[in-house]
Amino acid sequence: MIYSREYESMLREDLEQLQLERLQATLNRVYRNVAFYKQSFDRLGVDIEKIKGIGDLKQLPFTTKDDLRDSYPYDMFAVPLRDIVRIHSTSGTTGNPIVVGYTRNDITIWASLVARVLTAAGITSQDFVQIAFHYGLFTGGFGFHYGAEKIGASVIPSSTEDVRKQITILKDYKTSALISTPGYALHIGVLLEEQKIHPEQLFLKKGIFGAEPWSESLRAQIEEKLHIEAYDNYGLTEVLGPGVAFECPQRDGLHVNEDHVIVEVVHPETLEPLGYGEEGELVFTTITKQGFPLIRFRTGDISSLIEAPCKCGRTLVRMKRITGRTDDMIIVEGNNVFPMQIEQILLDMKGAAPHYQIILKREEGLDAMQINLELSEKLASFDEIRGLQKFEEEVGERIYRELGIRAGVNLVEPMTIRRSEGGKLERVIDLRD
Ligand SMILES: [Zn+2]
């Protein structure tokens, strides 16, 4: 099912024309209304009247997270504050949070873009949609809420209730679609097993997960534990919130809502635009947002664009699932690795739990990688020491074979790797200079 066939399946040339018109209007607005853009365009001598095609986008300067932090709280808003009807923000764990504002029209568009995400996963007005995302400044809860209401689903805003209550709601309220982070979904799956609740006792059929990068192996684990079809989606507060890109039933890349954002992939160091299939940093330009438009925003997320048309009939370009972030790329002895690639390998090994920590050290001038991996229940049961040692070796060999990196693997007891308050593990500890 396609929520907005007219736009999601537009002829590419019509789409590009629409993008250009919307881009020109956006550039005019930001140049007039946002001092930051006026200054940065003037500094580079950019004449926005000369932007005559999408290819001219590369003449425009980038916008970084630091630029947005420096504009705290409202300097990037492009409309008078009286026209803003909603404020959200990032968590601001590093410096000022990034504050974003939405006009009434922005909220309407946002809901319709999330409606596309849900419809593409086969969710309809018949569904009970349980939204286990935090309802607050974070965009996940409210973003999905309005989208799910838009398609007429019965929305259960369970937010981040205690996970046991969450399970009671899943069971008793006959939830058919779960929306959460993938980590939270897995956690629910593990608790169901513990409580001896078989997934067939639930009504759950679909899950839409996002807000953190996850691997295909994690998807397989969630689907197995919850007996559902799991869909990925992508969004970020700065650009919109959820609703930027989403999976269709093919589940082979995420369609970008290109009638509202223009996507580019650039080389993370040279910042040169890259072609289809080339992996680099995602950059977005919003072309319909009024409150908080963004020009060439560098996301820090690593992906690539898929050129081939999709079997589902949508013409919107697809991006690959996020493989990592520019700032969590690890360089070990000259090799570039993302923690996600290691996670993929660990999850493929039967018996490993997806709880691990990578420790980087310098030993006699050389980089050394150690991976602490928590034992899963299954592994803990074959407690013969030799079996565990063999498993450690197998994991190490596999990492060497696939990533070209020698890593020492160390199995540790479940729940012994320190978690932060939100239950998240610190994935990488770099003890090198
Ligand atoms: Zn598709």
Side-chain angles (χ1 to χ4, degrees), residues 296-311:
R296 301 195 85 197
F297 174 65
R298 289 181 56 190
T299 61
D301 290 326
I302 302 286
S303 179
S304 60
L305 299 180
I306 301 170
E307 186 168 21
C310 186
K311 292 194 190 86

Side-chain angles (χ1 to χ4, degrees), residues 248-250 255 310-314 318:
C248 67
Q250 302 294 323
H255 289 284
C310 186
K311 292 194 190 86
C312 73
R314 288 176 184 81
R318 283 171 295 160

Side-chain angles (χ1 to χ4, degrees), residues 375 379 382-392 411:
L375 282 168
L379 263 188
F382 76 91
D383 55 319
E384 196 194 324
I385 290 175
R386 206 177 302 150
L388 296 179
Q389 267 177 357
K390 189 150 176 285
F391 186 75
E392 289 173 345
L411 290 168

